[in-house]
Amino acid sequence: MAKWRTVPRPVMETALNTHALRRHRVRHPLFLHGPRGSGKTSLILHRLLDSWNVGPHITGYVDFAADRSPKPWASWSASAAPPADLADLRSRLESCLESMVDRGVRLGRIRSRDVFLALRKRHGIDSALRRIVGGDVKASSLSTLWSRAVLARGCGGGGDDDDASTTMEERANVREAGVSLRLAKEIIDMHSSWRASAVAHLKRMGGVSTPLAHSSTDWPCLLLELLSSAAGMGIFQPKLVLDNIEVLRKATSTDESMIPAGIVMEDSRGNIQDTVDAYLAYLQGVADKDQVNVVNPAMESALVILQKFASDARNEDPLVSLQWAKLQLMDYIQSLIKTGFGVNYLSDFSFEILDDPATVAMLEVGLLYAQRDRPYIRPISRAIQRCLVRWLVQEQIQMSFKDSVRYRWHRIIRGRSYRHLMNE
């Protein structure tokens, strides 16, 4: 069995700081993956985030699962929270990115021309600009149309937050960049309205269209591109932290103009989208591999450990002690399933599970761990949790009639029950 590696917190903190502070631009996003409750979010929020917003550094943080799990085990059980609303998740992400871009604008790192070039790179904006400028517009270059559109949207007006420490030219550039961003958003919204009927038809038919899927993320992708191009070492180093990204895949929306996130992510082929999709696919597909390479060998090791306690049950015969150990382990897994894999080990009666030989064995082989906050004993991942359930089902199927009767009798007469340890 492969050993589960525990990374010391100081080492993890140093590695994350090196990745975040010593580079202004990276080729691929970094994924911090580990068991629930092991301290990933706490490390970011309470140890790193403040230092990642000092000087040239600015870090946006978006938690897609915020306020969605009232109980620590809620998203692990069959009665998980309903799918998140895609419009709400999109609003959180866009608000965060917009505030970061605004910081870049005020620092002079993002200007009107940067917005124009980024928009023109991925979108056909001629028709939208001509509609905004209005009147009988004859043939003009895109840059001329853009300048006229920015002027039409009022970049000549004064600002309410003029900084006396900056020059008049710098303040004018900041105002022009701000108007350009609003103009870019207006153009993208205009494109979205033009595609609304096509998107609604796509949703009704259950089809997939690459251009329409990409269009659902036009605005946040434009903001990300602006931040990336504006980044400079020691000048402007933006970072974005996304927590619980797997919520995106199951998000739903009643808005006919929005494409479900699952379709967008399955059909996207950008750098970030590819990496996120690969990560989510890993989370979903790892169970089959873990069943053979990790869980089954680990359960065999747990049975060997449990056999050492067979003498307490007066089972000296190796075959009988193995049968006893398997019966105890199956009973233990069944009791965890009944609790939704969320057992409080600091409750008033926690000695019941802490003194259980099966708990000792499962912790020792690394399939369970003691979560720190809140204090729950649970599988190290949801993939391992599914594998444990699958192991129990397989063992029940392979039982002889005699063993099946013995197991059922044990569950009824002497079976474990830890449901009283589920209280918060």
PDB file of all heavy atoms in Angstrom, residues 77-108:
ATOM      1  N   SER A  77     -22.528  13.262   2.580  1.00  0.00           N
ATOM      2  CA  SER A  77     -23.548  12.233   2.713  1.00  0.00           C
ATOM      3  C   SER A  77     -24.488  12.247   1.528  1.00  0.00           C
ATOM      4  O   SER A  77     -24.428  13.098   0.647  1.00  0.00           O
ATOM      5  CB  SER A  77     -24.353  12.474   4.000  1.00  0.00           C
ATOM      6  OG  SER A  77     -25.020  13.713   3.929  1.00  0.00           O
ATOM      7  N   ALA A  78     -25.392  11.263   1.517  1.00  0.00           N
ATOM      8  CA  ALA A  78     -26.363  11.177   0.417  1.00  0.00           C
ATOM      9  C   ALA A  78     -27.302  12.367   0.415  1.00  0.00           C
ATOM     10  O   ALA A  78     -27.807  12.786  -0.609  1.00  0.00           O
ATOM     11  CB  ALA A  78     -27.148   9.878   0.524  1.00  0.00           C
ATOM     12  N   SER A  79     -27.551  12.929   1.611  1.00  0.00           N
ATOM     13  CA  SER A  79     -28.450  14.079   1.711  1.00  0.00           C
ATOM     14  C   SER A  79     -27.662  15.368   1.621  1.00  0.00           C
ATOM     15  O   SER A  79     -27.726  16.219   2.504  1.00  0.00           O
ATOM     16  CB  SER A  79     -29.214  14.020   3.040  1.00  0.00           C
ATOM     17  OG  SER A  79     -28.306  13.988   4.124  1.00  0.00           O
ATOM     18  N   ALA A  80     -26.870  15.493   0.579  1.00  0.00           N
ATOM     19  CA  ALA A  80     -26.034  16.678   0.423  1.00  0.00           C
ATOM     20  C   ALA A  80     -26.880  17.895   0.102  1.00  0.00           C
ATOM     21  O   ALA A  80     -28.042  17.800  -0.265  1.00  0.00           O
ATOM     22  CB  ALA A  80     -25.012  16.443  -0.700  1.00  0.00           C
ATOM     23  N   ALA A  81     -26.269  19.068   0.244  1.00  0.00           N
ATOM     24  CA  ALA A  81     -26.972  20.310  -0.037  1.00  0.00           C
ATOM     25  C   ALA A  81     -27.373  20.348  -1.509  1.00  0.00           C
ATOM     26  O   ALA A  81     -26.713  19.751  -2.358  1.00  0.00           O
ATOM     27  CB  ALA A  81     -26.077  21.493   0.305  1.00  0.00           C
ATOM     28  N   PRO A  82     -28.458  21.028  -1.839  1.00  0.00           N
ATOM     29  CA  PRO A  82     -28.881  21.115  -3.243  1.00  0.00           C
ATOM     30  C   PRO A  82     -27.834  21.853  -4.063  1.00  0.00           C
ATOM     31  O   PRO A  82     -27.007  22.583  -3.523  1.00  0.00           O
ATOM     32  CB  PRO A  82     -30.198  21.902  -3.155  1.00  0.00           C
ATOM     33  CG  PRO A  82     -30.113  22.653  -1.868  1.00  0.00           C
ATOM     34  CD  PRO A  82     -29.360  21.771  -0.935  1.00  0.00           C
ATOM     35  N   PRO A  83     -27.841  21.661  -5.382  1.00  0.00           N
ATOM     36  CA  PRO A  83     -26.855  22.333  -6.236  1.00  0.00           C
ATOM     37  C   PRO A  83     -26.893  23.840  -6.055  1.00  0.00           C
ATOM     38  O   PRO A  83     -27.936  24.443  -5.833  1.00  0.00           O
ATOM     39  CB  PRO A  83     -27.288  21.923  -7.652  1.00  0.00           C
ATOM     40  CG  PRO A  83     -28.065  20.665  -7.467  1.00  0.00           C
ATOM     41  CD  PRO A  83     -28.748  20.790  -6.140  1.00  0.00           C
ATOM     42  N   ALA A  84     -25.717  24.448  -6.150  1.00  0.00           N
ATOM     43  CA  ALA A  84     -25.622  25.901  -6.003  1.00  0.00           C
ATOM     44  C   ALA A  84     -26.227  26.597  -7.215  1.00  0.00           C
ATOM     45  O   ALA A  84     -26.351  26.020  -8.297  1.00  0.00           O
ATOM     46  CB  ALA A  84     -24.161  26.301  -5.841  1.00  0.00           C
ATOM     47  N   ASP A  85     -26.609  27.852  -7.025  1.00  0.00           N
ATOM     48  CA  ASP A  85     -27.152  28.659  -8.115  1.00  0.00           C
ATOM     49  C   ASP A  85     -26.002  29.248  -8.911  1.00  0.00           C
ATOM     50  O   ASP A  85     -25.138  29.947  -8.374  1.00  0.00           O
ATOM     51  CB  ASP A  85     -28.037  29.778  -7.561  1.00  0.00           C
ATOM     52  CG  ASP A  85     -28.614  30.642  -8.670  1.00  0.00           C
ATOM     53  OD1 ASP A  85     -29.327  30.098  -9.533  1.00  0.00           O
ATOM     54  OD2 ASP A  85     -28.337  31.852  -8.676  1.00  0.00           O
ATOM     55  N   LEU A  86     -25.961  28.954 -10.203  1.00  0.00           N
ATOM     56  CA  LEU A  86     -24.853  29.373 -11.050  1.00  0.00           C
ATOM     57  C   LEU A  86     -24.729  30.895 -11.109  1.00  0.00           C
ATOM     58  O   LEU A  86     -23.618  31.437 -11.136  1.00  0.00           O
ATOM     59  CB  LEU A  86     -25.035  28.799 -12.459  1.00  0.00           C
ATOM     60  CG  LEU A  86     -23.911  29.069 -13.448  1.00  0.00           C
ATOM     61  CD1 LEU A  86     -22.591  28.520 -12.936  1.00  0.00           C
ATOM     62  CD2 LEU A  86     -24.238  28.462 -14.813  1.00  0.00           C
ATOM     63  N   ALA A  87     -25.861  31.578 -11.115  1.00  0.00           N
ATOM     64  CA  ALA A  87     -25.817  33.039 -11.180  1.00  0.00           C
ATOM     65  C   ALA A  87     -25.132  33.627  -9.953  1.00  0.00           C
ATOM     66  O   ALA A  87     -24.363  34.587 -10.050  1.00  0.00           O
ATOM     67  CB  ALA A  87     -27.234  33.596 -11.308  1.00  0.00           C
ATOM     68  N   ASP A  88     -25.382  33.034  -8.782  1.00  0.00           N
ATOM     69  CA  ASP A  88     -24.743  33.502  -7.551  1.00  0.00           C
ATOM     70  C   ASP A  88     -23.242  33.242  -7.582  1.00  0.00           C
ATOM     71  O   ASP A  88     -22.441  34.113  -7.210  1.00  0.00           O
ATOM     72  CB  ASP A  88     -25.382  32.810  -6.347  1.00  0.00           C
ATOM     73  CG  ASP A  88     -24.717  33.197  -5.040  1.00  0.00           C
ATOM     74  OD1 ASP A  88     -24.706  34.399  -4.710  1.00  0.00           O
ATOM     75  OD2 ASP A  88     -24.196  32.300  -4.343  1.00  0.00           O
ATOM     76  N   LEU A  89     -22.837  32.050  -8.027  1.00  0.00           N
ATOM     77  CA  LEU A  89     -21.406  31.739  -8.106  1.00  0.00           C
ATOM     78  C   LEU A  89     -20.703  32.656  -9.097  1.00  0.00           C
ATOM     79  O   LEU A  89     -19.596  33.136  -8.832  1.00  0.00           O
ATOM     80  CB  LEU A  89     -21.224  30.275  -8.532  1.00  0.00           C
ATOM     81  CG  LEU A  89     -21.825  29.209  -7.622  1.00  0.00           C
ATOM     82  CD1 LEU A  89     -21.499  27.824  -8.162  1.00  0.00           C
ATOM     83  CD2 LEU A  89     -21.313  29.353  -6.200  1.00  0.00           C
ATOM     84  N   ARG A  90     -21.359  32.899 -10.220  1.00  0.00           N
ATOM     85  CA  ARG A  90     -20.772  33.779 -11.226  1.00  0.00           C
ATOM     86  C   ARG A  90     -20.634  35.195 -10.687  1.00  0.00           C
ATOM     87  O   ARG A  90     -19.619  35.864 -10.922  1.00  0.00           O
ATOM     88  CB  ARG A  90     -21.660  33.766 -12.470  1.00  0.00           C
ATOM     89  CG  ARG A  90     -21.182  34.656 -13.595  1.00  0.00           C
ATOM     90  CD  ARG A  90     -22.070  34.496 -14.811  1.00  0.00           C
ATOM     91  NE  ARG A  90     -21.695  35.366 -15.897  1.00  0.00           N
ATOM     92  CZ  ARG A  90     -22.260  35.363 -17.094  1.00  0.00           C
ATOM     93  NH1 ARG A  90     -23.223  34.495 -17.340  1.00  0.00           N
ATOM     94  NH2 ARG A  90     -21.860  36.186 -18.036  1.00  0.00           N
ATOM     95  N   SER A  91     -21.636  35.659  -9.953  1.00  0.00           N
ATOM     96  CA  SER A  91     -21.582  37.006  -9.381  1.00  0.00           C
ATOM     97  C   SER A  91     -20.432  37.152  -8.388  1.00  0.00           C
ATOM     98  O   SER A  91     -19.736  38.167  -8.384  1.00  0.00           O
ATOM     99  CB  SER A  91     -22.917  37.318  -8.694  1.00  0.00           C
ATOM    100  OG  SER A  91     -22.864  38.570  -8.065  1.00  0.00           O
ATOM    101  N   ARG A  92     -20.214  36.111  -7.565  1.00  0.00           N
ATOM    102  CA  ARG A  92     -19.104  36.162  -6.606  1.00  0.00           C
ATOM    103  C   ARG A  92     -17.761  36.281  -7.315  1.00  0.00           C
ATOM    104  O   ARG A  92     -16.911  37.093  -6.943  1.00  0.00           O
ATOM    105  CB  ARG A  92     -19.095  34.892  -5.744  1.00  0.00           C
ATOM    106  CG  ARG A  92     -20.256  34.752  -4.803  1.00  0.00           C
ATOM    107  CD  ARG A  92     -20.012  33.551  -3.895  1.00  0.00           C
ATOM    108  NE  ARG A  92     -21.246  32.950  -3.455  1.00  0.00           N
ATOM    109  CZ  ARG A  92     -21.323  31.864  -2.706  1.00  0.00           C
ATOM    110  NH1 ARG A  92     -20.206  31.259  -2.334  1.00  0.00           N
ATOM    111  NH2 ARG A  92     -22.490  31.370  -2.337  1.00  0.00           N
ATOM    112  N   LEU A  93     -17.583  35.441  -8.338  1.00  0.00           N
ATOM    113  CA  LEU A  93     -16.317  35.451  -9.060  1.00  0.00           C
ATOM    114  C   LEU A  93     -16.099  36.770  -9.783  1.00  0.00           C
ATOM    115  O   LEU A  93     -15.006  37.363  -9.714  1.00  0.00           O
ATOM    116  CB  LEU A  93     -16.293  34.295 -10.059  1.00  0.00           C
ATOM    117  CG  LEU A  93     -15.053  34.189 -10.948  1.00  0.00           C
ATOM    118  CD1 LEU A  93     -13.807  34.007 -10.115  1.00  0.00           C
ATOM    119  CD2 LEU A  93     -15.206  33.060 -11.956  1.00  0.00           C
ATOM    120  N   GLU A  94     -17.120  37.248 -10.461  1.00  0.00           N
ATOM    121  CA  GLU A  94     -16.970  38.483 -11.217  1.00  0.00           C
ATOM    122  C   GLU A  94     -16.729  39.680 -10.314  1.00  0.00           C
ATOM    123  O   GLU A  94     -15.921  40.557 -10.638  1.00  0.00           O
ATOM    124  CB  GLU A  94     -18.211  38.704 -12.094  1.00  0.00           C
ATOM    125  CG  GLU A  94     -18.335  37.693 -13.224  1.00  0.00           C
ATOM    126  CD  GLU A  94     -19.541  37.950 -14.097  1.00  0.00           C
ATOM    127  OE1 GLU A  94     -20.356  38.835 -13.738  1.00  0.00           O
ATOM    128  OE2 GLU A  94     -19.686  37.264 -15.128  1.00  0.00           O
ATOM    129  N   SER A  95     -17.403  39.742  -9.171  1.00  0.00           N
ATOM    130  CA  SER A  95     -17.196  40.851  -8.236  1.00  0.00           C
ATOM    131  C   SER A  95     -15.766  40.876  -7.732  1.00  0.00           C
ATOM    132  O   SER A  95     -15.143  41.948  -7.616  1.00  0.00           O
ATOM    133  CB  SER A  95     -18.163  40.739  -7.049  1.00  0.00           C
ATOM    134  OG  SER A  95     -19.501  40.856  -7.472  1.00  0.00           O
ATOM    135  N   CYS A  96     -15.233  39.706  -7.439  1.00  0.00           N
ATOM    136  CA  CYS A  96     -13.854  39.612  -6.963  1.00  0.00           C
ATOM    137  C   CYS A  96     -12.876  40.073  -8.044  1.00  0.00           C
ATOM    138  O   CYS A  96     -11.974  40.870  -7.782  1.00  0.00           O
ATOM    139  CB  CYS A  96     -13.550  38.177  -6.530  1.00  0.00           C
ATOM    140  SG  CYS A  96     -11.858  37.900  -5.992  1.00  0.00           S
ATOM    141  N   LEU A  97     -13.062  39.573  -9.258  1.00  0.00           N
ATOM    142  CA  LEU A  97     -12.164  39.947 -10.356  1.00  0.00           C
ATOM    143  C   LEU A  97     -12.270  41.431 -10.691  1.00  0.00           C
ATOM    144  O   LEU A  97     -11.261  42.089 -10.981  1.00  0.00           O
ATOM    145  CB  LEU A  97     -12.478  39.097 -11.593  1.00  0.00           C
ATOM    146  CG  LEU A  97     -12.113  37.615 -11.505  1.00  0.00           C
ATOM    147  CD1 LEU A  97     -12.641  36.870 -12.729  1.00  0.00           C
ATOM    148  CD2 LEU A  97     -10.610  37.437 -11.399  1.00  0.00           C
ATOM    149  N   GLU A  98     -13.479  41.961 -10.649  1.00  0.00           N
ATOM    150  CA  GLU A  98     -13.667  43.380 -10.951  1.00  0.00           C
ATOM    151  C   GLU A  98     -12.945  44.267  -9.946  1.00  0.00           C
ATOM    152  O   GLU A  98     -12.350  45.292 -10.315  1.00  0.00           O
ATOM    153  CB  GLU A  98     -15.160  43.709 -10.983  1.00  0.00           C
ATOM    154  CG  GLU A  98     -15.871  43.175 -12.230  1.00  0.00           C
ATOM    155  CD  GLU A  98     -17.380  43.248 -12.112  1.00  0.00           C
ATOM    156  OE1 GLU A  98     -17.863  43.692 -11.049  1.00  0.00           O
ATOM    157  OE2 GLU A  98     -18.080  42.841 -13.060  1.00  0.00           O
ATOM    158  N   SER A  99     -12.974  43.891  -8.678  1.00  0.00           N
ATOM    159  CA  SER A  99     -12.273  44.689  -7.666  1.00  0.00           C
ATOM    160  C   SER A  99     -10.760  44.627  -7.866  1.00  0.00           C
ATOM    161  O   SER A  99     -10.047  45.609  -7.652  1.00  0.00           O
ATOM    162  CB  SER A  99     -12.638  44.196  -6.262  1.00  0.00           C
ATOM    163  OG  SER A  99     -12.174  42.878  -6.040  1.00  0.00           O
ATOM    164  N   MET A 100     -10.259  43.475  -8.301  1.00  0.00           N
ATOM    165  CA  MET A 100      -8.829  43.347  -8.559  1.00  0.00           C
ATOM    166  C   MET A 100      -8.415  44.166  -9.781  1.00  0.00           C
ATOM    167  O   MET A 100      -7.364  44.828  -9.780  1.00  0.00           O
ATOM    168  CB  MET A 100      -8.474  41.873  -8.763  1.00  0.00           C
ATOM    169  CG  MET A 100      -8.678  41.012  -7.526  1.00  0.00           C
ATOM    170  SD  MET A 100      -8.457  39.243  -7.856  1.00  0.00           S
ATOM    171  CE  MET A 100      -6.697  39.199  -8.215  1.00  0.00           C
ATOM    172  N   VAL A 101      -9.232  44.116 -10.835  1.00  0.00           N
ATOM    173  CA  VAL A 101      -8.930  44.909 -12.029  1.00  0.00           C
ATOM    174  C   VAL A 101      -8.985  46.401 -11.705  1.00  0.00           C
ATOM    175  O   VAL A 101      -8.170  47.186 -12.202  1.00  0.00           O
ATOM    176  CB  VAL A 101      -9.911  44.549 -13.163  1.00  0.00           C
ATOM    177  CG1 VAL A 101      -9.795  45.537 -14.316  1.00  0.00           C
ATOM    178  CG2 VAL A 101      -9.662  43.133 -13.662  1.00  0.00           C
ATOM    179  N   ASP A 102      -9.945  46.795 -10.861  1.00  0.00           N
ATOM    180  CA  ASP A 102     -10.026  48.194 -10.455  1.00  0.00           C
ATOM    181  C   ASP A 102      -8.739  48.650  -9.777  1.00  0.00           C
ATOM    182  O   ASP A 102      -8.278  49.774  -9.974  1.00  0.00           O
ATOM    183  CB  ASP A 102     -11.223  48.381  -9.510  1.00  0.00           C
ATOM    184  CG  ASP A 102     -11.391  49.829  -9.083  1.00  0.00           C
ATOM    185  OD1 ASP A 102     -11.739  50.663  -9.939  1.00  0.00           O
ATOM    186  OD2 ASP A 102     -11.162  50.132  -7.891  1.00  0.00           O
ATOM    187  N   ARG A 103      -8.160  47.752  -8.970  1.00  0.00           N
ATOM    188  CA  ARG A 103      -6.873  48.073  -8.331  1.00  0.00           C
ATOM    189  C   ARG A 103      -5.788  48.275  -9.388  1.00  0.00           C
ATOM    190  O   ARG A 103      -4.966  49.204  -9.299  1.00  0.00           O
ATOM    191  CB  ARG A 103      -6.491  46.939  -7.378  1.00  0.00           C
ATOM    192  CG  ARG A 103      -5.093  47.039  -6.790  1.00  0.00           C
ATOM    193  CD  ARG A 103      -5.011  48.055  -5.676  1.00  0.00           C
ATOM    194  NE  ARG A 103      -3.685  48.022  -5.070  1.00  0.00           N
ATOM    195  CZ  ARG A 103      -3.318  47.194  -4.091  1.00  0.00           C
ATOM    196  NH1 ARG A 103      -4.209  46.325  -3.609  1.00  0.00           N
ATOM    197  NH2 ARG A 103      -2.104  47.226  -3.600  1.00  0.00           N
ATOM    198  N   GLY A 104      -5.771  47.418 -10.403  1.00  0.00           N
ATOM    199  CA  GLY A 104      -4.802  47.574 -11.474  1.00  0.00           C
ATOM    200  C   GLY A 104      -4.992  48.859 -12.255  1.00  0.00           C
ATOM    201  O   GLY A 104      -4.017  49.500 -12.671  1.00  0.00           O
ATOM    202  N   VAL A 105      -6.241  49.259 -12.439  1.00  0.00           N
ATOM    203  CA  VAL A 105      -6.530  50.517 -13.131  1.00  0.00           C
ATOM    204  C   VAL A 105      -5.997  51.699 -12.331  1.00  0.00           C
ATOM    205  O   VAL A 105      -5.350  52.609 -12.873  1.00  0.00           O
ATOM    206  CB  VAL A 105      -8.047  50.665 -13.361  1.00  0.00           C
ATOM    207  CG1 VAL A 105      -8.391  52.090 -13.792  1.00  0.00           C
ATOM    208  CG2 VAL A 105      -8.515  49.669 -14.414  1.00  0.00           C
ATOM    209  N   ARG A 106      -6.235  51.710 -11.025  1.00  0.00           N
ATOM    210  CA  ARG A 106      -5.802  52.823 -10.178  1.00  0.00           C
ATOM    211  C   ARG A 106      -4.284  52.912 -10.055  1.00  0.00           C
ATOM    212  O   ARG A 106      -3.744  53.978  -9.794  1.00  0.00           O
ATOM    213  CB  ARG A 106      -6.448  52.708  -8.795  1.00  0.00           C
ATOM    214  CG  ARG A 106      -7.957  52.877  -8.844  1.00  0.00           C
ATOM    215  CD  ARG A 106      -8.608  52.723  -7.491  1.00  0.00           C
ATOM    216  NE  ARG A 106     -10.065  52.828  -7.595  1.00  0.00           N
ATOM    217  CZ  ARG A 106     -10.719  53.980  -7.665  1.00  0.00           C
ATOM    218  NH1 ARG A 106     -10.050  55.123  -7.636  1.00  0.00           N
ATOM    219  NH2 ARG A 106     -12.036  54.004  -7.768  1.00  0.00           N
ATOM    220  N   LEU A 107      -3.625  51.768 -10.241  1.00  0.00           N
ATOM    221  CA  LEU A 107      -2.160  51.767 -10.224  1.00  0.00           C
ATOM    222  C   LEU A 107      -1.573  52.138 -11.583  1.00  0.00           C
ATOM    223  O   LEU A 107      -0.350  52.247 -11.725  1.00  0.00           O
ATOM    224  CB  LEU A 107      -1.639  50.392  -9.808  1.00  0.00           C
ATOM    225  CG  LEU A 107      -1.850  49.993  -8.345  1.00  0.00           C
ATOM    226  CD1 LEU A 107      -1.400  48.561  -8.123  1.00  0.00           C
ATOM    227  CD2 LEU A 107      -1.086  50.938  -7.414  1.00  0.00           C
ATOM    228  N   GLY A 108      -2.428  52.300 -12.574  1.00  0.00           N
ATOM    229  CA  GLY A 108      -1.954  52.649 -13.909  1.00  0.00           C
ATOM    230  C   GLY A 108      -1.439  51.473 -14.715  1.00  0.00           C
ATOM    231  O   GLY A 108      -0.827  51.665 -15.766  1.00  0.00           O
TER     232      GLY A 108
END
